[in-house]
């Protein structure tokens, strides 16, 4: 056994997670290093979304310790702006496409956001003209892309994607695979993906963590 | 039926010839409703937001009270406020009775529950994915609250329009607290009441047409907003 001297991006110890005090997820030990995309694979209800919500700091653990970049998460909210997540069922703010993609940048105090917005839209295959559209002027597929772009624009260390290929056509699925690799290449993001689409996953990563009934069943050594 | 059509003709004549008495009532209505709406919105939006967004002890009781006040008869509000601001009332020394401010207090009591109740349900009914969306994008603290409110803006505007409709249409409060004083506290609705009582249909019709147009514009914007917020 080799001991990895690097600090993991995430370190989970004896985590119990759930809703209204009812546990649905238990993780004894999990370390996620900055080695490229990792996928969480499992059936519906196996706890993938719950785990991603935990990693996105949306759901505090019932018990256990969640470390992020070497510090306990939750203490002074450290690190939480370094992670963002595309929800399983993305929601667009009732604003223009531009305002949606610019929102997180403005929340980070950035003033000149235009180039980052255009760049993020291009990454998901949308022309800059889309920026002017309003939230109700988009097809379902376009709305998903805008939601993804609004996360990409932030260039966060951690990019969590919950079932990014659910209800999208083959072409969009391939585009999303490309975007995940681009995020890794362009700003060294650590993409963490929940999916049950193993075939699609082949074009993204072989690092897979299998989940079953709220537990991690198998993870790469 | 002849007096009706004659009334209409004379009514339009009064409106477009700029009859001072008619327009004085119109301006009083606008002044009064602006005042009561301003206060209602300033208090009602934050209070309604808090009611819909946070859970605190007594929230259900407050909600019930606000919902009850939604349908309170205007004359009851008039009576209640009258008791407070008349000479012998606890606020008598402010001499608010038969003034625009006094009427505005009454109208605020009519409008505030509408703003609060509709804002609260607008905030409660925002998409449950909204909070997670804002958090994943990095919104915290004040930005989180204001962005939540902003998502509900169409329904809140709808609340404002609904409340505006109620205050411009009511008679009870204006009559009891304003006293229908010519050039002073006479509003469109109290003027209609008086003129009709005197058998003076033309002025009544002129004012009625104005009120109807106002209500038409309001309802038109409501249906526009409905369509928008459903999108
Ligand atoms: N908001 C919630 N409230 C209560 N239980 C939930 C909630 N979300 C998920 N669960 C439960 O937690 C378990 C794991 O669900 P989830 O993490 O969504 O799985 P997956 O994303 O793998 O489909 C399921 O049994 C599900 O019913
Ligand atoms: Mg899920």
């Amino acid at each position: 056994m080799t001991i990895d001297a690097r600090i993991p991006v995430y370190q989970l110890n004896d985590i119990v997670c759930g809703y209204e005090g009812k546990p649905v997820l238990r993780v004894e030990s999990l370390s996620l290093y900055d080695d490229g995309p990792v996928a969480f694979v499992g059936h519906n209800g196996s706890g993938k979304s719950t785990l991603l919500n935990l990693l996105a700091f949306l759901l505090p653990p019932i018990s256990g310790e969640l470390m992020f970049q070497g510090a306990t998460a939750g203490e002074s909210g450290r690190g939480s702006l370094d992670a963002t997540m595309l929800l399983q069922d993305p929601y667009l703010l009732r604003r223009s496409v531009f305002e949606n993609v610019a929102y997180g940048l403005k929340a980070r105090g950035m003033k000149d956001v235009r180039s980052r917005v255009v760049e993020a839209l291009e990454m998901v295959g949308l022309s800059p003209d889309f920026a002017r559209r309003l939230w109700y002027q988009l097809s379902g597929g376009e709305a998903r892309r805008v939601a993804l772009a609004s996360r990409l624009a932030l260039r966060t260390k951690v990019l969590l994607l919950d079932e990014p290929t659910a209800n999208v056509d083959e072409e969009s699925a391939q585009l999303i695979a490309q975007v995940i690799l681009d995020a890794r290449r362009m700003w060294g993001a650590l993409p963490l993906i929940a999916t049950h689409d193993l075939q699609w996953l082949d074009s993204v990563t072989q690092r897979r963590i299998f989940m079953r009934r709220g537990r991690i069943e198998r993870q790469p050594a | 039926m002849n007096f009706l059509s004659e009334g209409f003709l004379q009514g339009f004549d009064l409106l477009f010839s700029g009859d001072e008495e008619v327009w004085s009532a119109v301006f009083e209505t606008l002044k009064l409703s602006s005042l009561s709406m301003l206060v209602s919105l300033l208090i009602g939006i934050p209070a309604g937001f808090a009611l819909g967004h946070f859970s605190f002890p007594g929230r259900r009781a407050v909600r019930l009270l606000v919902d009850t006040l939604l349908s309170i008869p205007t004359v009851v509000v008039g009576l209640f406020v009258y008791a407070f601001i008349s000479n012998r009332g606890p606020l008598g020394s402010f001499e608010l009775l038969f003034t625009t401010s006094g009427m505005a207090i009454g109208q605020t009591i009519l409008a505030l529950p509408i703003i609060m109740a509709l804002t609260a349900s607008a905030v409660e009914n925002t998409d449950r994915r909204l909070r997670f969306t804002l958090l994943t994008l990095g919104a915290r603290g004040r930005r989180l609250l204001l962005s939540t409110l902003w998502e509900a803006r169409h329904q809140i505007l709808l609340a404002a329009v609904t409340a505006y409709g109620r205050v411009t249409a009511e008679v009870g409060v204006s009559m009891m607290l304003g006293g229908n004083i010519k050039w002073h506290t006479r509003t469109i609705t109290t003027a209609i009441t008086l003129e009709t009582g005197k058998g003076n249909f033309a002025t009544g019709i002129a004012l009625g047409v104005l009120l109807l147009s106002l209500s038409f514009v309001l309802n038109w914007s409501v249906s526009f907003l409905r369509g928008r917020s459903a999108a």
Side-chain angles (χ1 to χ4, degrees), chain B residues 139-196:
Chain B
R140 302 288 184 269
R142 216 163 63 100
R143 184 183 295 268
L144 192 60
L145 295 185
L146 290 178
S147 296
T148 304
L149 197 59
W150 188 243
E151 286 297 294
R153 65 194 178 278
H154 294 121
Q155 283 93 324
I156 292 172
L157 216 57
L158 210 65
V161 170
T162 308
Y164 195 79
R166 175 127 153 119
V167 300
T168 48
E170 68 82 24
V171 193
V173 164
S174 300
M175 196 63 108
M176 291 169 78
L177 302 177
N180 196 18
I181 303 165
K182 196 168 164 180
W183 310 119
H184 184 42
T185 60
R186 180 165 300 171
T187 65
I188 298 180
T189 54
T190 59
I192 292 177
T193 311
L194 180 82
E195 301 296 345
T196 307

Side-chain angles (χ1 to χ4, degrees), chain A residues 104-119:
Chain A
L105 296 170
K106 289 180 178 170
R108 284 161 175 76
M110 193 180 282
K111 289 286 181 296
D112 192 20
V113 296
R114 179 160 290 278
S115 60
R116 286 279 284 268
V117 170
V118 169
E119 195 179 66

Side-chain angles (χ1 to χ4, degrees), chain B residues 3 11 18-19 24 31 38 51-52 94 101 107 120 146 150 177 195 204 208 216 227 230:
Chain B
F3 75 100
D19 182 83
S24 153
K31 190 169 118 188
L38 187 71
L51 199 55
F94 293 102
S101 308
Q107 288 202 345
L146 290 178
W150 188 243
L177 302 177
E195 301 296 345
F216 172 78

